[in-house]
Amino acid sequence: MNMIDRIDRAIDMSGGIVKGIAAEHMSAPTPCPEWDLRELLNHLVGGMNIFAAQLQGLTPDRDHHDDWLGTDPQGAYVEAAELDRAAWDRPDALEQTVRLGFGAVPGPMAAVIHLTELVVHGVDLAVATGQERLVDEQLCTEMLAIMREMGLENFRVPGMFGPEVEVPADAPTYRRLLAYVGRA
């Protein structure tokens, strides 16, 4: 399975979770201690829109932390998912350079970063809303292997990833993935 296929699966997984988010969940805490559920979902949707624009050679029309959800968070996710999927499915997607907050990255690295955002934040949303049954455990297994192979030590800084958290060896893979990135 290639990275673009994994991104498609992550979009689908997160989309199923987003469908199950009720309006009363929007102020709920998440495994990302600095964000409530609405802020986390907004971050995810904003990132999808920004990656989609950049992959098409466009300048995003808003900043990552602007309001991307409006009054219809589920609709905003669906719209962002369509744009994101179409951008990554372009034949030249991995040949693009994507400009992120910390600098420009080549397409293959941008794909890994984006996959990480989709999977980890999708799991964050599932945990925050009690929808763990919708998590794609195989995708979490693949993501955890990719992250372990790359190593995160240079990214274990406030606002990115914390120190790895101990979890039981028999914990579900999604819990081990969250633990690896510093979430309890």
Side-chain angles (χ1 to χ4, degrees), residues 1-174:
M1 172 159 309
N2 69 40
M3 199 56 64
I4 304 302
D5 292 337
R6 287 184 179 113
I7 288 172
D8 283 342
R9 281 178 45 209
I11 289 170
D12 290 342
M13 177 191 80
S14 295
I17 294 162
V18 170
K19 279 183 193 175
I21 297 174
E24 60 268 15
H25 291 141
M26 286 299 166
S27 61
T30 70
C32 294
E34 65 273 12
W35 290 328
D36 68 15
L37 196 130
R38 182 178 176 85
E39 291 167 321
L40 176 61
L41 181 56
N42 190 68
H43 171 79
L44 184 61
V45 169
M48 293 167 76
N49 278 288
I50 290 169
F51 269 95
Q54 293 242 342
L55 288 168
Q56 296 175 68
L58 304 172
T59 301
D61 62 350
R62 287 182 267 174
D63 184 58
H64 203 132
H65 298 289
D66 286 343
D67 181 14
W68 293 89
L69 301 180
T71 60
D72 182 11
Q74 283 84 2
Y77 182 88
V78 168
E79 183 179 317
E82 289 172 10
L83 293 171
D84 195 40
R85 191 183 314 270
W88 285 106
D89 285 343
R90 292 167 45 112
D92 64 345
L94 295 177
E95 297 166 17
Q96 302 302 312
T97 297
V98 176
R99 299 193 191 307
L100 301 174
F102 56 84
V105 295
M109 179 54 77
V112 171
I113 292 167
H114 192 52
L115 179 65
T116 302
E117 288 273 308
L118 289 168
V119 175
V120 172
H121 290 319
V123 172
D124 288 333
L125 292 170
V127 169
T129 58
Q131 298 185 84
E132 292 92 337
R133 70 191 182 289
L134 299 178
V135 170
D136 181 334
E137 279 287 294
Q138 181 58 41
L139 188 56
C140 289
T141 299
E142 294 166 15
M143 186 77 255
L144 184 57
I146 290 166
M147 293 178 88
R148 286 190 187 283
E149 183 178 315
M150 287 178 45
L152 287 185
E153 295 320 305
N154 291 337
F155 300 99
R156 291 192 188 280
V157 296
M160 291 190 82
F161 301 112
E164 187 169 1
V165 176
E166 293 268 338
V167 293
D170 63 346
T173 304
Y174 74 88

